[in-house]
Amino acid sequence: MKIAIIGSGHVGLVTGAGFADMGNEVICLDHDTQKIKLLTRGKIPFYEPGLSELVQKNSEKGRLHFTTYMKEAVQFSQVLFLCVGTPPKDDGEADLSAIENVARSIGRNLTEYRLIVEKSTVPVETGAQLYKMIARSTRKKITFDVASNAEFLKEGSAVHDFYNPDRIVLGVETPRAKQLLLKIYKPFKVPILVTDVRSAEMIKHASNSFLAMKISYINLISQMCEKVGADIGKVAEGMGGDRRIGKAFLNAGIGFGGSCFPKDLAAFIKIGEKLNVPCNLLKEIAEINKFQKIHFVSKVEKALKKLKGKTLGVLGLAFKPDTDDIRNAPAVDILEQLRDRGAKIKAYDPCATAAAKNILKGIRFARNPYEACLGADAALILTEWREFRDLNLKKLKRSLKRAIIVDGRNIYDPQTMKENGFHYYSIGR
Ligand code: UGA
């Protein structure tokens, strides 16, 4: 199958390279000429494990191409996947201007039937609007279809997730669209749910908000655990053992971040409001998430008695491990709060330092965990990178001025830390 990917970011590039790897011919488009130049040279503009190899392999085999021209992408492909960003506006509503621009551009370049598939996370009913926008932009009457095929890739494991989805959701309105999408997904031996476009759009937003709800729920319970001396790890294990609840996404921490959950939750609330459906549950998910970061800052303050003038060695900036993405990273919010309250910060992240330097002002950066903690009053763990789980605890203790660790990701066993002579504070334990 000949496929075009419109928007070569985290989602588009993984999807495009993955489809190419499955034997399709793929062209990836982006309006950012610098990015396309890099990709044409086999370089990836962000860190995602396994992606660089996948892109290089499929480019060399001649199955993966790059362009900045919509005309080329539309002429080349039978199916176009829209993977452009849908960032939040100031009020939380999804900004669909990128989707609208590409819709018009696709419409202008249509000369024969094409299937246009939304992969970006969009509010329910965007598919219907997309259809109208494309129809209005075509020069003559041309048949086309709009479908929805939400992505469920997680940053940091996106390549693995591409090959191993739990399910595939196809929102279609015509037999032709269904047949084309089923052909593309034929090699995947996983359940495929075929539905209408509106339901498919709803599935994506409902899924992300549900996962965010699980995280806020366990974070709320973690606060109760702290009050009574219960262990959130054991509580989550006990809850997750019930198959109706499930173990995943019950890790208490410093709240969820990234480019998806916070934005999608805000957009979902807006959708509910527009539809006159009270969304207090969704709003509370966001409130708990905000509070969890404030709570962590108080925990640090409590451990150190006061923050002003104290030096903190920070381990982790990315919103999760195995990515250099710091968009909406809880670490950024927490460090700004600590800095504004007079703490001096030296931070280390295996991948995200360059990105953090652009937005985090007034803090210093280190080249390794021990350098970050050298002479510090406490070490803070803000991202659960594997590297931090394998730290040399003796060396870490020698680096610190005071043996205090405040762990926002519960990566260590409290007893082990006590035996190693640390004052160890974590979440819900
Ligand atoms: C999320 C969804 O998991 C994907 O299915 C979806 O495709 C993607 O959004 C998207 O809409 O594009 P992602 O944002 O990459 O993926 O990362 P997650 O692994 O879901 O983590 C999100 C945040 O939740 C991170 O800050 C993470 O630290 C936090 N989290 C996750 C917890 O605090 N506790 C958990 O138990 C799990």
Side-chain angles (χ1 to χ4, degrees):
M1 186 83 76
K2 287 188 152 195
I3 294 172
I5 302 288
I6 312 300
S8 303
H10 286 84
V11 173
L13 210 47
V14 175
T15 308
F19 280 153
D21 204 47
M22 309 205 89
N24 300 290
E25 267 201 75
V26 179
I27 190 161
C28 291
L29 174 141
D30 206 285
H31 64 97
D32 181 340
T33 41
Q34 281 309 106
K35 188 192 275 182
I36 292 299
K37 262 189 202 157
L38 267 182
L39 288 166
T40 312
R41 279 190 272 129
K43 300 231 174 328
I44 309 296
F46 52 86
Y47 177 69
E48 182 64 49
L51 183 57
S52 177
E53 295 82 344
L54 201 63
V55 167
Q56 271 168 23
K57 175 181 151 196
N58 287 285
S59 300
E60 277 162 25
K61 296 226 176 217
R63 293 192 293 246
L64 185 60
H65 316 275
F66 299 97
T67 185
T68 51
Y69 297 106
M70 186 61 89
K71 189 173 180 184
E72 193 185 351
V74 174
Q75 278 179 356
F76 177 91
S77 57
Q78 296 155 274
V79 182
L80 295 102
F81 285 85
L82 307 193
C83 304
V84 294
T86 51
K89 293 185 196 167
D90 288 343
D91 66 354
E93 196 183 2
D95 178 353
L96 298 180
S97 52
I99 292 264
E100 289 162 9
N101 286 340
V102 298
R104 281 191 283 270
S105 180
I106 290 171
R108 282 196 296 276
N109 286 291
L110 272 190
T111 51
E112 56 183 319
Y113 176 86
R114 294 288 180 265
L115 170 61
I116 296 111
V117 188
E118 310 166 325
K119 221 177 211 323
S120 314
T121 304
V122 289
V124 62
E125 297 188 315
T126 302
Q129 293 165 22
L130 191 58
Y131 188 90
K132 284 187 203 149
M133 274 185 281
I134 297 172
R136 275 202 295 270
S137 309
T138 52
R139 293 204 171 87
K140 50 183 183 172
K141 197 161 167 33
I142 294 160
T143 315
F144 67 92
D145 281 313
V146 167
S148 163
N149 168 221
E151 57 87 17
F152 299 104
L153 309 174
K154 299 184 293 302
E155 283 183 36
S157 60
V159 172
H160 172 268
D161 293 350
F162 176 85
Y163 291 103
N164 303 282
D166 286 345
R167 77 312 201 183
I168 289 160
V169 178
L170 305 177
V172 292
E173 301 293 337
T174 68
R176 193 173 187 179
K178 176 177 169 182
Q179 181 229 327
L180 279 167
L181 282 172
L182 284 176
K183 195 170 168 196
I184 292 176
Y185 281 106
K186 197 160 180 245
F188 290 83
K189 303 288 172 243
V190 297
I192 297 186
L193 175 69
V194 181
T195 176
D196 58 284
V197 170
R198 281 176 172 80
S199 303
E201 290 169 335
M202 193 63 98
I203 287 168
K204 170 67 189 196
H205 259 133
S207 300
N208 269 10
S209 293
F210 190 85
L211 292 170
M213 179 179 75
K214 278 189 100 175
I215 300 168
S216 275
Y217 187 82
I218 204 69
N219 282 337
L220 174 75
I221 305 299
S222 78
Q223 288 173 30
M224 293 193 191
C225 287
E226 287 178 8
K227 301 261 186 210
V228 298
D231 179 339
I232 192 64
K234 294 285 176 222
V235 173
E237 199 182 331
M239 285 171 59
D242 184 330
R243 270 180 297 165
R244 293 170 304 175
I245 297 173
K247 288 191 192 330
F249 280 66
L250 286 183
N251 296 317
I254 48 176
F256 56 80
S259 66
C260 303
F261 285 175
K263 141 184 111 71
D264 291 350
L265 183 61
F268 208 31
I269 292 168
K270 280 282 155 197
I271 294 168
E273 283 173 352
K274 272 194 178 169
L275 299 172
N276 264 327
V277 177
C279 285
N280 296 339
L281 172 64
L282 300 180
K283 288 178 188 162
E284 200 50 37
I285 298 170
E287 280 307 308
I288 295 171
N289 200 48
K290 196 169 152 198
F291 180 74
Q292 198 67 7
K293 290 175 273 190
I294 297 171
H295 182 62
F296 183 81
V297 171
S298 316
K299 209 182 259 292
V300 178
E301 184 170 36
K302 225 165 153 186
L304 291 170
K305 308 292 182 266
K306 64 169 190 156
L307 289 172
K308 202 168 168 44
K310 294 285 162 59
T311 307
L312 306 171
V314 170
L315 308 184
L317 296 162
F319 84 98
K320 60 185 276 192
D322 293 320
T323 176
D324 56 0
D325 199 343
I326 53 157
R327 286 176 290 175
N328 284 309
V332 172
D333 196 345
I334 286 169
L335 294 187
E336 282 173 346
Q337 289 185 44
L338 290 165
R339 177 202 61 198
D340 292 348
R341 294 178 60 183
K344 293 181 202 137
I345 295 159
K346 205 199 269 181
Y348 166 73
D349 188 283
C351 264
T353 306
K357 275 182 181 165
N358 290 329
I359 60 158
L360 262 176
K361 301 297 168 200
I363 77 166
R364 288 179 297 153
F365 295 91
R367 283 163 302 178
N368 62 59
Y370 308 101
E371 188 187 306
C373 294
L374 195 64
D377 293 286
L380 312 186
I381 299 171
L382 300 185
T383 314
E384 66 276 36
W385 284 93
R386 166 145 290 286
E387 184 180 340
F388 302 152
R389 295 180 192 270
D390 299 334
L391 287 178
N392 179 333
L393 292 178
K394 287 198 171 60
K395 193 171 168 191
L396 181 69
K397 197 161 166 238
R398 276 199 306 274
S399 302
L400 285 162
K401 189 161 86 190
R402 295 163 71 190
I404 298 175
I405 296 186
V406 192
D407 179 359
R409 300 291 190 169
N410 287 1
I411 65 174
Y412 287 115
D413 167 40
Q415 189 55 32
T416 311
M417 297 313 273
K418 199 173 168 191
E419 284 161 16
N420 278 277
F422 286 100
H423 297 281
Y424 176 73
Y425 304 86
S426 54
I427 307 289
R429 306 190 293 183

